[in-house]
Amino acid sequence: MKKIFLMLFAVCAFAACDPIHEKIGNGGHISVDELISKTTVTVDKAASGQNGNVITCETLAPVNAKWDIGGKEFVGNYATKKMKLGSYSVKLTAICADGTELTADFPITCSEITDPLQKFYIFGGPDNTEPAILGPGDAAAGRFSDGEGKYFPFLSDEVYFGKKTLIFDIIEAEEGQFIWGDDFGCTVRVMSGWWDGPFADNVALSVGLWELPITDEIANTCAKGATAHDLDLMMTRGTVKIKSVYYEE
């Protein structure tokens, strides 16, 4: 009889601890209206009274928060970012305790520079007179690798996992024939040094500033903390000369 009682007690104890049967209840989530009421997205003010260029986001809601500010993601209940001038929609994605996902958008306009963006150069600079030259089919020329590239150094994990936007100052862009066809243009393939991907193909280039955002896919493939396959740019048509590569913060 004693053995039967102990077995029955063990079964009851297991059932009581089974998380599948746990009831979270209505307190496990909030509404979108509650999320918005507990969230502030603001822009600093210039001396003129105009909106500045520093966006600050904070939510006091009991959620796990992820912000998208100008295409950059920040995880946490607080985030801030310096922006270029323009109009943006800051997106907040919130995960409630019961797994419910909520989203809210906050339109923002930055009208005046109050805190200038700082350039962090990866290659070259304002006075560089020896540009990087990327010709069609030359995968080594555009590889970010100290060992196997021609111009560009390894990118740090801070650049990759920080989802920086690389800015290329292109001073010459000459059209050429497609390396596997007859059509002409000036286009680049964004890939890794191990020919993963491509992440993007036949992207048109021209004289001026070209921006390449580091995505999750690029970071998870190319960062040393991932597989270290190196970011690589290969021209599929034409040739470009690049004066500098940098990101801004």
Side-chain angles (χ1 to χ4, degrees):
M1 184 66 181
K2 183 177 181 181
K3 290 183 179 180
I4 295 175
F5 174 77
L6 290 174
M7 290 177 64
L8 181 60
F9 175 81
V11 171
C12 291
F14 176 81
C17 296
D18 185 357
I20 297 175
H21 296 90
E22 182 181 355
K23 294 183 178 180
I24 296 176
N26 294 332
H29 66 271
I30 61 174
S31 67
V32 173
D33 288 341
E34 288 175 296
L35 176 66
I36 294 174
S37 70
K38 295 181 179 181
T39 300
T40 56
V41 177
T42 59
V43 182
D44 66 324
K45 292 296 181 181
S48 64
Q50 297 246 46
N51 281 352
N53 70 307
V54 181
I55 297 178
T56 301
C57 311
E58 184 177 20
T59 183
L60 300 178
V63 296
N64 290 323
K66 181 176 71 175
W67 308 88
D68 185 316
I69 310 175
K72 295 295 183 181
E73 291 186 350
F74 300 83
V75 176
N77 289 55
Y78 176 88
T80 184
K81 188 177 188 302
K82 291 191 288 187
M83 307 295 291
K84 296 180 180 178
L85 300 185
S87 296
Y88 304 91
S89 182
V90 176
K91 182 176 182 179
L92 168 60
T93 301
I95 306 298
C96 300
D98 65 355
T100 302
E101 183 174 304
L102 306 174
T103 60
D105 293 293
F106 303 85
I108 286 292
T109 298
C110 298
S111 304
E112 188 173 327
I113 297 295
T114 48
D115 192 353
L117 291 163
Q118 182 178 352
K119 291 182 173 66
F120 294 87
Y121 284 94
I122 294 168
F123 166 79
D127 302 322
N128 182 32
T129 57
E130 298 183 7
I133 302 174
L134 276 57
D138 187 357
R143 183 167 180 168
F144 285 82
S145 169
D146 294 339
E148 299 181 67
K150 288 185 179 180
Y151 304 102
F152 308 140
F154 284 123
L155 295 177
S156 68
D157 281 10
E158 179 186 1
V159 171
Y160 282 120
F161 292 124
K163 309 296 174 53
K164 310 298 185 184
T165 294
L166 302 184
I167 303 173
F168 295 77
D169 187 355
I170 299 174
I171 56 176
E172 288 187 29
E174 180 181 346
E175 290 192 354
Q177 188 173 357
F178 186 48
I179 58 177
W180 294 297
D182 298 326
D183 55 333
F184 283 76
C186 187
T187 58
V188 68
R189 171 177 295 174
V190 182
M191 60 183 193
S192 85
W194 286 32
W195 294 78
D196 301 289
F199 306 120
D201 207 2
N202 297 320
V203 179
L205 299 180
S206 59
V207 173
L209 301 180
W210 173 54
E211 295 189 358
L212 174 61
I214 299 295
T215 64
D216 283 328
E217 183 182 14
I218 292 175
N220 291 333
T221 301
C222 300
K224 291 182 180 179
T227 57
H229 284 187
D230 306 327
L231 180 64
D232 199 353
L233 306 177
M234 185 184 73
M235 298 298 295
T236 51
R237 298 178 184 87
T239 301
V240 295
K241 291 184 179 180
I242 299 171
K243 184 176 183 178
S244 61
V245 182
Y246 60 92
Y247 63 90
E248 294 180 317
E249 286 191 338

